[in-house]
Amino acid sequence: MAVFFGQMQWGWDFEGDETVNLETLKRTVAEGLDEARTAETADAVEAVRIKYLGRKGLMPQVMKELKTVAPEERAEVGRLANTFKKELTELLETRKKELSGDAKAIAEPVTFDYTLPGRGPRRGTRHPISTVIEEAVAIFGRMGFTVAEGPDVETPYHNFDALNTPGYHPSLDRQDTFWLDDGRLLRTQTSPVQIRVMESRQPPVRIVTPGRCYRRDTTDATHSANFHQIEGLYVDRDVSLADLKGTLAYFAHEMMGPDVAVRFRPHFFPFTEPSVECDFSCHVCNGAGCRVCKGSGWIEIAGAGMVDPRVFEKVGYDPETTTGYAFGMGIERIAMIRYGIPDIRLLYENDMRFLRQFG
Amino acid sequence: MKLPLSWLREYVDVDASAEEIAERLTFSGTEVEGIEHVGAGCEDVIVGEVRAWEKHPKADRLRLCRVFDGEGELPVVCGADNFDVGDKVALAPVGATLPGGMAIKEAKLRGEISQGMLCAEDELGLSADHAGIMILPADAAVGTPMLDVIGGIETVLELEVTWNRPDCLCVIGMAREVAALYGVALKVPEPTFEEKGKSVDEWTRVDVQDAFDCPRYTARVLTEAKLKPSPVWMRRRLTCCGVRPINNVVDITNYVMLECGHPLHAFDSALLKESRIIVRRAAEGERMATLDDEERALTPEMIVIADAERPVAVAGIMGGAGSEINDTTQTVLLESATFDPARTHRTSVALGLSTESSHRFERTVNRETVEWASRRAAALMTEHCGATVAAGVIDVYGGAAELAPITCRLARLESLLGVSLGRDEVLGILEKLQIPVANADDDIITVAPPGFRPDLKIEADIFEEIARIHGIDEVPAADPMGRVVVDADDARPRAVAACREHLVGLGLSETMNYSFLSEQALDRFGKDADGRRVALLDPVSADHGVMRESLIPQMAESLGRNATHQELDAACFEIGRVFYREQGAICEEERLSIGLMGRQAGLDDTSPEGMFLRIKGLLEELLRVQNAPALELQPDAHPAFEPGWCTAILLGGERVGILGLLTAPIRHHWRIQSPVAMAELRLDTILSQVHDVQSFTDIPVYPSMDRDLALIVDESVCHGDVVRVIESGAPGGLTRVDLFDIFRSEEMGDGRKSMAYSLTYRSAERTLTDEETNRVHAEIMDRLRRELEAEIRER
Ligand SMILES: [Zn+2]
């Protein structure tokens, strides 16, 4: 029994055992019409004709096999086959004309104004702060840092005491910190997240902690009562200041440009010892001195250092076997320097004329 | 802290320029924030002498002066009144230029000619003082440059001294740093003076009630002090350091404090009851007037210096008005002491009183050199006040602070810095810093921290000293190293990042607002009926007084502010935390808000319905790409939302947010004319499944059957009802239900509408027949007739 439905990519399978029936014919019809519509050359149109209507084509075969079709379907199969032959013949004619250029299938472009505005959906814009955060996370991510999160409302213990802050450090003053009536406060840095992570697991720890922080500053062009930081912490064995410098140097040229270098100046932070401030060479003037770097060629970006052993003691790590570094930087500051934004308040005004400038 | 270079150079022989010293200090841990040249620009100012003055006939506050400039008398109009005939003053004659760039020209002030200006110190950039014009010493030569009289241009370094280095809060401390950096000697003067008359014990008595509060108290008595202004050079140094000169006795206490870091206090001994000193806690309810003429309420938490009857100073912070040095003072009781740093700090905060003195005491003052400071001040007072020092000193001293020896391992130093320093270099650095080495083995060095370095407690403290003097920037940058912490996971932040990306892809712009706002701004969106709001105890301003409990008010404000400057189209989102009180506890939660105003690309329908459906569509698409449960809305009510246009957002049956149109009064607050759609939901409810992997389902092989139907129903029937009825009990073959038209006509009658749907049937196993499709379709139509009283027209 000749069967033509088990179509395979490279030919016809006559070995199958399907019989001609209404369902299989419908499929053949759909396929035939589709092939005719999509034929791209005159030769292809002819091939379709031969395949379906030719002397040894499928339709003559169907007519030949008609007697084997189930009696209740026989009339319908016959009708469908005839309609199809007529439709396909017409379609192939039209297609042939189209391909030979007889028919004006597409509107002629001579009068179309291609300078009309394009249509369709438009992407929104990302906020510079989250762009910088996510790029920083990605850069540190390439070095194996994962993101850790923590609450904005913190205990004084996590925000100050566990970070080796003296009990009467000026930053504990009411005037610099927002306090809540339950004795907690709005974190002044994201370092408490580092404490929480160290409290919850053993080394190695390799995290970055982007997040919102709060200081009781009067808002002006460079100060904002809430702002964002990203801090990093790597705790393991045999971690050195040289590793910290290499890590920050990599971040500097990934974030600000390939020619950007870093330098360390000694500083003091209760959390780290030795502590450094890390300057990036100015990406605008390449260190020659300009308005952005106030003529110095360097821009102060990060605070960093080797984690103070007393911090390890607080979280229950062995300060003899554990070493690590920590660093932190202000997101707004990086965003302002990177994009040349002159006033921090622009970042919180949500003016569309501002937001639209960023991708 | 300000450091005049000429003063520094008295203690250390360094020729280097100010810029060079600044660079070295900055790279050894004391950042130099600026270099000032005080007096620069005053070259044109000369010494003048006031020969006569009278009131300006037309202005009470002005004086018409005749000022002698060495050659002739000039008419000068002046607004100050702190001078008299014969005073030597700073005169800027016509043609002079002042430091601010102001050029002096002949002028007419209310009709009177003025040929110069009498300058105040702030106008000359010498200090911030603008209390009156500058009065120069009586022996200044008229007509000579004013700078010659005051000692020329002084170069002043502006230093940022870090919290851990109280020893650097003085000229000698900085000289010690510079000496270490340049490898030269530190020269500290040895004060010398003669003691005379009866012993100090006969003058006074000192009782210290608690040695922890006051580890050391010394008292000296000086008699026959003659009160007058201190010498010009001393006043100049004080003003360069930002300290206002008062009189010679007080100036000397301040001078010694700036020089060696020990705050001193001078009492008028005659004003001390029974001439005695008691260091004690204040009594409950005790009060005193401090030197700034403020009446202070004291508590037993505060240390005071008292005489036999009353407190005469808040210890380490400020003296009392009742015992201060005054014009009639002859006998001075000179206090040099130390006080508990923590308590001094707490008292300073409690009183809201921060002084040069408290600034130093709260950071720890070296008790070993307290007595030196006292001698230094006594020596200066004999020299400049003509005072006589009574014999001896009262010194209540429990002994030096115990600073434990510190063991430093060189191998550990190398591994921590990532660079190897030789033993000799390490020992050399310690010597330069005047940190005594008690013992030095090959690999282990034990040091004994000196009294002026109370910050040196552990090995890392010493490592820091070595690193900063060696040059911390000399540490090489090791190649960055990757390190995977296998069990670390940051799925949630990645999910938030994905969500943000999806929102931007949907055409929304990200906004960011402060975490706090005003009570009033929140009230506009509904009062705080159940006490959920969290207020800041001590906000900077009422505008930022309350933590946000919702992102909607600020989203509305952001849209509104844009509308006010003609940005009428905005589609925004914000991801941020909100804060609220629940059962007494303060909670925080991350939320997503979306706000739409005006048109978006390809979306022009700004009718209420258009806006509502647009924000709904956005949310549906967001939920789809987040793999979150499908969106369900339920009628809701909220004071900020238009009645009838307010719905609760439900995901998986749980109420997670709100969606709707803002009320007209809220919109009109910012003069927004068109409808504003707003949604807010808990972010975590749409995060958890974003990383889920989709599993493939077969693409349908068999053709589908489409059937349309139009039903006329009552207005109260919703699309949701129709879909529910269609889907209830439908066979698996129904794969799509699309609403493609709604219309109303007179013919149908009031309160009726026609809704046209296209239904798609398909089987995964076979081609559906017309017959079976029609049968199922007919069943659906029956159900619609039955359950919704629909009138149906089949297409
Ligand atoms: Zn530059």
Side-chain angles (χ1 to χ4, degrees):
Chain A
M1 200 186 310
V3 169
F4 50 90
F5 298 107
Q7 187 186 17
M8 297 177 74
Q9 226 176 338
W10 51 83
W12 295 89
D13 174 16
F14 291 99
E15 307 304 321
D17 57 357
E18 275 185 87
T19 56
V20 176
N21 61 32
L22 191 56
E23 187 191 318
T24 52
L25 179 60
K26 275 182 180 166
R27 227 187 323 148
T28 311
V29 166
E31 283 164 7
L33 294 175
D34 193 50
E35 283 169 41
R37 273 188 216 108
T38 55
E40 293 293 342
T41 60
D43 288 348
V45 171
E46 181 58 13
V48 174
R49 195 191 64 76
I50 290 168
K51 174 175 160 188
Y52 290 96
L53 307 176
R55 199 160 50 80
K56 288 182 179 168
L58 293 172
M59 282 309 113
Q61 280 194 49
V62 169
M63 297 319 277
K64 227 190 283 171
E65 300 280 342
L66 199 55
K67 56 187 178 296
T68 70
V69 173
E72 68 276 15
E73 283 191 351
R74 202 173 293 151
E76 180 65 21
V77 168
R79 245 194 320 279
L80 184 58
N82 282 323
T83 324
F84 173 62
K85 279 196 275 186
K86 195 161 152 257
E87 242 181 274
L88 186 65
T89 310
E90 282 168 16
L91 189 58
L92 288 171
E93 267 318 293
T94 316
R95 190 76 193 128
K96 220 149 93 186
K97 278 184 198 157
E98 282 170 6
L99 290 171
S100 64
D102 282 1
K104 289 183 180 173
I106 300 169
E108 288 194 13
V110 278
T111 57
F112 175 68
D113 178 1
Y114 60 87
T115 66
L116 288 172
R119 287 178 200 163
R122 292 287 185 267
R123 255 178 86 87
T125 56
R126 306 183 61 106
H127 197 281
I129 288 176
S130 63
T131 301
V132 169
I133 289 177
E134 281 181 20
E135 284 189 29
V137 164
I139 293 164
F140 288 114
R142 290 199 281 281
M143 293 184 277
F145 288 84
T146 52
V147 176
E149 298 177 297
D152 287 16
V153 178
E154 263 297 358
T155 64
Y157 176 79
H158 285 95
N159 195 72
F160 293 122
D161 307 342
L163 292 160
N164 196 37
T165 314
Y168 49 91
H169 189 273
S171 67
L172 235 178
D173 284 0
R174 185 156 291 265
Q175 65 213 46
D176 298 320
T177 306
F178 288 115
W179 292 85
L180 303 177
D181 60 12
D182 64 353
R184 290 190 294 165
L185 48 84
L186 298 178
R187 64 180 175 193
T188 60
Q189 48 198 353
T190 57
S191 321
V193 182
Q194 305 182 3
I195 297 296
R196 288 178 180 278
V197 171
M198 286 193 281
E199 282 172 345
S200 68
R201 59 164 297 142
Q202 284 299 307
V205 171
R206 199 165 167 87
I207 53 168
V208 281
T209 60
R212 183 170 281 205
C213 309
Y214 305 82
R215 295 247 170 109
R216 226 177 140 267
D217 277 329
T218 305
T219 302
D220 61 22
T222 53
H223 295 86
S224 169
N226 71 226
F227 56 96
H228 296 77
Q229 274 192 339
I230 185 165
E231 295 190 22
L233 174 72
Y234 175 42
V235 177
D236 208 333
R237 285 166 179 274
D238 299 325
V239 181
S240 76
L241 195 65
D243 295 328
L244 168 64
K245 199 172 184 186
T247 302
L248 288 177
Y250 179 74
F251 174 76
H253 53 74
E254 290 296 296
M255 177 59 85
M256 305 305 280
D259 298 326
V260 172
V262 298
R263 73 174 186 190
F264 277 0
R265 282 180 290 109
H267 199 70
F268 169 73
F269 303 109
F271 185 75
T272 50
E273 187 154 47
S275 300
V276 297
E277 276 189 330
C278 181
D279 300 334
F280 289 10
S281 65
C282 179
H283 62 293
V284 177
C285 64
N286 277 330
C290 69
R291 207 169 46 85
V292 173
C293 55
K294 299 194 184 88
S296 73
W298 293 91
I299 304 171
E300 185 181 320
I301 297 281
M306 304 306 294
V307 179
D308 193 302
R310 287 164 285 208
V311 173
F312 288 143
E313 279 171 27
K314 293 253 187 202
V315 299
Y317 287 1
D318 178 3
E320 277 304 307
T321 55
T322 317
T323 47
Y325 60 68
F327 56 83
M329 46 204 144
I331 297 296
E332 276 84 349
R333 182 166 168 76
I334 295 176
M336 289 168 76
I337 290 164
R338 195 176 187 217
Y339 301 110
I341 299 167
D343 190 320
I344 199 169
R345 287 168 290 202
L346 285 166
L347 292 165
Y348 291 95
E349 277 167 5
N350 304 319
D351 189 324
M352 290 307 290
R353 297 167 298 184
F354 172 82
L355 296 176
R356 270 198 294 264
Q357 299 180 28
F358 304 96
Chain B
M1 191 186 77
K2 289 177 190 272
L3 176 64
L5 266 192
S6 71
W7 201 353
L8 178 82
R9 292 192 207 270
E10 274 184 20
Y11 310 110
V12 62
D13 263 331
V14 169
D15 296 334
S17 69
E19 288 72 19
E20 210 181 303
I21 293 172
E23 173 95 355
R24 294 286 284 270
L25 287 175
T26 293
F27 280 88
S28 62
T30 309
E31 187 175 348
V32 178
E33 293 175 321
I35 301 175
E36 259 184 287
H37 300 283
V38 180
C42 298
E43 288 81 357
D44 299 341
V45 179
I46 58 170
V47 178
E49 182 184 334
V50 179
R51 286 280 170 89
W53 68 268
E54 58 184 350
K55 272 214 161 73
H56 190 296
K58 290 183 195 152
D60 275 356
R61 284 161 183 262
L62 296 181
R63 286 179 173 188
L64 307 181
C65 313
R66 304 290 301 172
V67 181
F68 182 57
D69 69 355
E71 287 168 7
E73 284 183 21
L74 307 172
V76 177
V77 179
C78 181
D81 59 3
N82 66 319
F83 61 91
D84 216 329
V85 171
D87 277 348
K88 304 286 172 59
V89 294
L91 169 67
V94 169
T97 307
L98 296 187
M102 180 178 162
I104 306 297
K105 292 178 190 142
E106 184 171 308
K108 249 188 189 174
L109 285 107
R110 311 283 301 264
E112 299 292 336
I113 298 261
S114 183
Q115 291 180 332
M117 173 176 157
L118 304 185
C119 306
E121 288 191 6
D122 68 333
E123 287 158 339
L124 298 175
L126 299 176
S127 79
D129 192 2
H130 192 70
I133 58 165
M134 190 174 175
I135 307 294
L136 298 169
D139 59 1
V142 176
T144 57
M146 182 274 298
L147 277 177
D148 290 353
V149 175
I150 64 166
I153 294 171
E154 177 68 84
T155 303
V156 178
L157 303 185
E158 173 72 47
L159 307 176
E160 187 202 344
V161 175
T162 54
W163 165 259
N164 60 327
R165 294 298 306 275
D167 62 302
C168 288
L169 288 171
C170 61
V171 181
I172 290 178
M174 288 315 302
R176 190 183 292 116
E177 285 287 296
V178 172
L181 291 171
Y182 284 89
V184 297
L186 173 70
K187 303 179 295 182
V188 179
E190 191 51 40
T192 54
F193 52 87
E194 216 176 305
E195 293 179 350
K196 266 187 207 161
K198 54 182 184 177
S199 152
V200 65
D201 300 315
E202 293 176 53
W203 283 102
T204 186
R205 196 177 119 196
V206 174
D207 294 294
V208 175
Q209 292 194 343
D210 185 338
F212 188 84
D213 282 352
C214 174
R216 188 171 192 184
Y217 195 101
T218 69
R220 267 198 166 78
V221 171
L222 297 99
T223 56
E224 296 155 56
K226 284 152 210 72
L227 270 282
K228 59 181 180 185
S230 45
V232 174
W233 60 266
M234 184 179 287
R235 287 195 315 222
R236 183 79 197 288
R237 284 187 173 170
L238 295 180
T239 51
C240 281
C241 292
V243 174
R244 194 164 60 92
I246 312 266
N247 57 47
N248 49 359
V249 171
V250 173
D251 289 355
I252 286 168
T253 60
N254 284 329
Y255 185 83
V256 173
M257 171 184 73
L258 296 172
E259 180 182 47
C260 69
H262 286 273
L264 305 176
H265 189 68
F267 297 97
D268 182 335
S269 183
L271 298 177
L272 297 175
K273 297 279 162 19
E274 297 179 23
S275 296
R276 53 182 293 208
I277 291 288
I278 305 168
V279 183
R280 60 164 168 89
R281 296 292 182 85
E284 192 75 63
E286 215 164 12
R287 303 175 72 84
M288 74 173 281
T290 40
L291 282 174
D292 54 2
D293 290 327
E294 290 279 331
E295 182 76 11
R296 307 278 176 181
L298 307 173
T299 74
E301 292 299 307
M302 301 170 179
I303 312 166
V304 295
I305 313 300
D307 61 16
E309 291 176 3
R310 56 183 180 145
V312 291
V314 184
I317 299 176
M318 191 178 270
S323 59
E324 77 181 291
I325 301 297
N326 57 73
D327 292 346
T328 63
T329 300
Q330 288 187 328
T331 306
V332 174
L333 190 145
L334 178 66
E335 164 196 298
S336 180
T338 60
F339 303 101
D340 175 24
R343 190 165 295 281
T344 308
H345 176 74
R346 285 196 299 270
T347 304
S348 161
V349 171
L351 294 176
L353 187 58
S354 179
T355 61
E356 291 280 351
S357 172
S358 68
H359 185 73
R360 287 171 174 79
F361 278 122
E362 67 192 11
R363 285 164 172 76
T364 306
V365 166
N366 180 14
R367 57 179 91 155
E368 290 170 35
T369 42
V370 158
E371 208 268 334
W372 183 91
S374 170
R375 277 188 284 131
R376 173 70 169 154
L380 288 170
M381 284 184 195
T382 55
E383 189 179 347
H384 299 290
C385 313
T388 303
V389 186
V393 60
I394 296 177
D395 188 353
V396 183
Y397 186 22
E402 292 209 359
L403 300 174
I406 302 167
T407 304
C408 308
R409 294 158 294 177
L410 294 179
R412 178 100 174 159
L413 173 69
E414 180 178 343
S415 99
L416 197 76
L417 298 185
V419 63
S420 170
L421 304 187
R423 179 174 175 277
D424 289 347
E425 186 183 353
V426 170
L427 289 173
I429 289 171
L430 292 172
E431 191 187 343
K432 284 184 201 166
L433 288 171
Q434 301 187 343
I435 300 173
V437 173
N439 191 34
D441 294 337
D442 281 349
D443 185 50
I444 295 179
I445 293 173
T446 306
V447 305
F452 60 85
R453 291 302 303 271
D455 59 308
L456 302 180
K457 295 191 181 94
I458 61 172
E459 190 181 34
D461 297 325
I462 303 299
F463 290 170
E464 181 167 62
E465 291 304 300
I466 292 162
R468 73 182 181 89
I469 299 298
H470 168 75
I472 207 151
D473 196 42
E474 303 297 313
V475 170
D479 280 348
M481 177 190 66
R483 169 79 151 98
V484 173
V485 177
V486 179
D487 56 343
D489 183 29
D490 56 6
R492 188 185 178 280
R494 280 187 288 117
V496 177
C499 182
R500 185 176 279 121
E501 181 56 31
H502 293 150
L503 287 157
V504 172
L506 288 167
L508 300 176
S509 291
E510 186 177 21
T511 61
M512 231 170 247
N513 285 289
Y514 292 111
S515 296
F516 14 65
L517 67 172
S518 71
E519 187 93 42
Q520 203 185 358
L522 277 175
D523 282 348
R524 200 172 291 131
F525 294 79
K527 296 272 184 202
D528 184 26
D530 32 10
R532 277 171 66 84
R533 284 184 199 161
V534 179
L536 297 175
L537 284 188
D538 203 0
V540 177
S541 74
D543 283 350
H544 287 167
V546 187
M547 303 298 291
R548 55 180 175 183
E549 58 187 349
S550 160
L551 302 181
I552 287 178
Q554 289 164 319
M555 176 59 81
E557 192 181 344
S558 296
L559 297 179
R561 266 205 307 264
N562 276 292
T564 55
H565 41 69
Q566 287 87 48
E567 288 289 329
L568 301 176
D569 302 325
C572 300
F573 77 95
E574 179 174 6
I575 289 174
R577 292 183 181 178
V578 301
F579 304 82
Y580 54 90
R581 203 181 296 273
E582 202 163 75
Q583 291 166 343
I586 295 171
C587 310
E588 61 187 280
E589 176 178 283
E590 202 145 24
R591 298 237 180 114
L592 161 67
S593 69
I594 299 175
L596 305 179
M597 173 178 77
R599 295 164 306 165
Q600 259 178 284
L603 298 163
D604 294 335
D605 184 357
T606 57
S607 68
E609 184 180 288
M611 296 303 286
F612 187 99
L613 295 179
R614 195 200 304 169
I615 199 165
K616 181 184 175 187
L618 259 167
L619 201 52
E620 284 170 337
E621 186 63 0
L622 176 69
L623 295 175
R624 186 185 70 77
V625 292
Q626 293 288 123
N627 294 327
L631 178 68
E632 287 173 69
L633 297 177
Q634 241 175 34
D636 200 3
H638 186 282
F641 287 85
E642 207 64 74
W645 296 95
C646 177
T647 56
I649 300 170
L650 282 77
L651 295 182
E654 190 196 354
R655 191 195 159 96
V656 302
I658 193 162
L659 177 150
L661 303 183
L662 282 188
T663 63
I666 290 176
R667 280 194 283 120
H668 293 160
H669 181 77
W670 289 283
R671 300 196 201 90
I672 306 174
Q673 303 301 325
S674 63
V676 170
M678 198 72 73
E680 179 179 40
L681 69 159
R682 297 213 307 268
L683 188 65
D684 275 335
T685 59
I686 61 168
L687 294 182
S688 59
Q689 284 157 292
V690 72
H691 304 305
D692 285 3
V693 173
Q694 302 297 304
S695 41
F696 168 78
T697 42
D698 286 333
I699 292 166
V701 185
Y702 300 103
S704 62
M705 301 286 250
D706 291 337
R707 293 288 183 276
D708 292 352
L709 64 84
L711 58 164
I712 298 170
V713 287
D714 208 77
E715 282 287 2
S716 64
V717 174
C718 311
H719 165 71
D721 299 332
V722 175
V723 173
R724 184 176 43 77
V725 171
I726 290 174
E727 286 179 347
S728 66
L734 177 64
T735 54
R736 283 181 68 146
V737 179
D738 294 320
L739 171 68
F740 63 88
D741 191 27
I742 299 181
F743 79 96
R744 298 164 175 88
S745 71
E746 277 180 32
E747 189 191 328
M748 274 183 271
D750 263 1
R752 305 276 285 169
K753 62 185 171 185
S754 163
M755 305 175 83
Y757 288 87
S758 169
L759 277 55
T760 304
Y761 301 88
R762 191 199 294 272
S763 160
E765 286 91 36
R766 60 200 167 79
T767 301
L768 296 173
T769 65
D770 274 338
E771 289 75 11
E772 61 185 325
T773 305
N774 290 344
R775 194 176 64 243
V776 172
H777 196 63
E779 278 168 19
I780 287 173
M781 289 190 288
D782 277 347
R783 267 205 308 281
L784 288 168
R785 282 191 198 96
R786 209 166 49 238
E787 293 182 29
L788 301 177
E789 294 170 3
E791 183 186 320
I792 295 189
R793 297 180 199 154
E794 200 177 346
R795 300 260 178 108

